[in-house]
Amino acid sequence: MNLLASRAGVEKHMLAQADSVGELLEQFRNRIPPALINGRGWETLLERARTLPVSLATTGFGFELPLHETEPRADLGLGLFEGSLSAAHFEDWCRSQPEDPSQTALVQLLREMGRRGSALRRVAGTKVLLEYDIDPAHQGAPPDPGIFLYPAADALSAEGPDPGDLGVVADALVAASGWQPDVAERRRAERLFLAMPRGTHIGAVGAFPARNRGLRVAIMGFRKTRELTTFLDRIDWPGRHSAVAPFVSKMEERDAFAYLAASLDIQAGGLGPGLGVSFYATDTPWPTNIDPWMGLIDGLREQDLGVRPKLSALATSCAGAEMMFGRRGMLFVARGIHHIKMSLVGERVEQVKAYVFFLVFPPGQG
């Protein structure tokens, strides 16, 4: 099947399902456990999502669920592919809105990814993910979303290309965030690239224009706890990995993950004190089976690293595939856990989050 033609068919079907992301999400309410998103958390999510065009969710959407908090709320992840029907729809929508520098910058980023001979397209491909912070306590205008690019595994692998290719991605994100270029920041990113061990690659690079300046780099492919801790020592990460290493080792003994990722922040003075350790239960990109996750979920419960009702809801209601009635036609829905991340600052675990996805297709294309 022609991938572009198939994607265009999916997008055309989904663009007819709703006018906004919020209208689409409302159709999924009974498939989102109240223990995970409810009350003001759900209302705030819909308020933000109703301001976004449905073109941002035609191939799916995701939630970032804080398992360490009792409040049932989530941040929202949405994506675009350069050159797609949805990207063209999004650009038309941006033209119809009042002047918004963040939207203009995103359109420019997509255009650069599509330019013939673009170094950015060669390294980062065509996918852009937007991460929307949804905080029920927030006052005033909502913050601009985080922007993430996803290079292919062989584009920025430890065995592969020039570290300057990471600089290409960094420069694009700096420009999209409205920041000034910083040669020292670029060089720090390239040094991090050179320190990666064999078998790893940079899976994502992102920036949060609404937060303090910094680039977030996710290094994927650590198979053993020791590989991760050795790398952190090599790069002189300023925190203490002993805060998470014992738990990771126990999960390794249980075969509770296939590989790990380390998310690090490159800031003005060097590496930031934060560290994200992400667990991937399988090598499958979009697993819809909950079984591979149960060892990790049970481990979080045993160590009191998550709110128990949320962990239970995650285990019983966040995976599978089914047909459902959409507002304007049948939909095939595949959902699951993409990864689970523990975030450390200094010497302690501050957050545990699950990243769940919903992929949507017309009947017959799932």
Side-chain angles (χ1 to χ4, degrees), residues 7-231:
R7 180 181 295 161
V10 171
E11 292 174 309
K12 184 176 181 180
H13 184 83
M14 294 306 301
L15 287 170
Q17 294 298 317
D19 294 324
S20 70
V21 176
E23 186 181 337
L24 182 65
L25 292 184
E26 287 179 298
Q27 301 174 50
F28 288 81
R29 183 64 187 111
N30 64 355
R31 287 164 175 81
I32 300 170
L36 298 176
I37 313 176
N38 202 21
R40 186 57 185 156
W42 174 251
E43 294 167 4
T44 307
L45 174 66
L46 285 185
E47 287 171 8
R48 184 69 172 107
R50 288 187 186 117
T51 69
L52 303 172
V54 72
S55 48
L56 289 173
T58 55
T59 55
F61 51 89
F63 298 124
E64 180 180 325
L65 303 165
L67 301 179
H68 58 286
E69 296 180 0
T70 56
E71 184 178 16
R73 68 175 191 87
D75 293 334
L76 177 65
L78 302 169
L80 280 175
F81 288 89
E82 186 282 323
S84 68
L85 184 65
S86 295
H89 181 281
F90 176 75
E91 187 168 346
D92 289 343
W93 177 81
C94 289
R95 291 195 195 101
S96 71
Q97 303 302 303
E99 185 64 27
D100 184 334
S102 67
Q103 293 172 5
T104 301
L106 181 57
V107 169
Q108 292 173 343
L109 176 65
L110 289 166
R111 288 178 177 172
E112 177 58 24
M113 296 172 79
R115 185 176 59 81
R116 184 183 297 274
S118 165
L120 181 62
R121 184 186 184 95
R122 173 178 57 80
V123 180
T126 62
K127 179 182 178 181
V128 178
L129 181 77
L130 302 177
E131 185 177 303
Y132 291 85
D133 290 337
I134 309 294
D135 182 359
H138 179 78
Q139 300 293 322
D144 292 336
I147 307 169
F148 283 81
L149 301 178
Y150 291 83
D154 59 352
L156 290 174
S157 69
E159 296 84 9
D162 185 336
D165 283 349
L166 177 56
V168 171
V169 180
D171 290 347
L173 287 167
V174 165
S177 300
W179 301 331
Q180 293 299 312
D182 184 332
V183 174
E185 179 182 72
R186 195 182 200 269
R187 288 176 178 164
R188 281 191 289 272
E190 292 172 356
R191 284 197 296 270
L192 183 66
F193 177 88
L194 291 171
M196 296 190 319
R198 292 183 64 82
T200 62
H201 67 277
I202 292 178
V205 187
F208 293 89
R211 304 183 190 178
N212 292 334
R213 176 169 179 156
L215 294 172
R216 180 160 296 173
V217 179
I219 301 169
M220 324 280 285
F222 297 97
R223 299 284 176 172
K224 303 291 183 181
T225 309
R226 184 61 181 167
E227 293 175 4
L228 175 63
T229 57
T230 299
F231 170 69

Side-chain angles (χ1 to χ4, degrees), residues 341-364:
K341 183 168 75 173
M342 302 177 69
S343 296
L344 292 77
V345 175
E347 300 184 5
R348 63 192 182 93
V349 176
E350 287 204 342
Q351 299 177 341
V352 179
K353 294 182 177 181
Y355 294 72
V356 302
F357 63 86
F358 285 73
L359 303 179
V360 287
F361 309 91

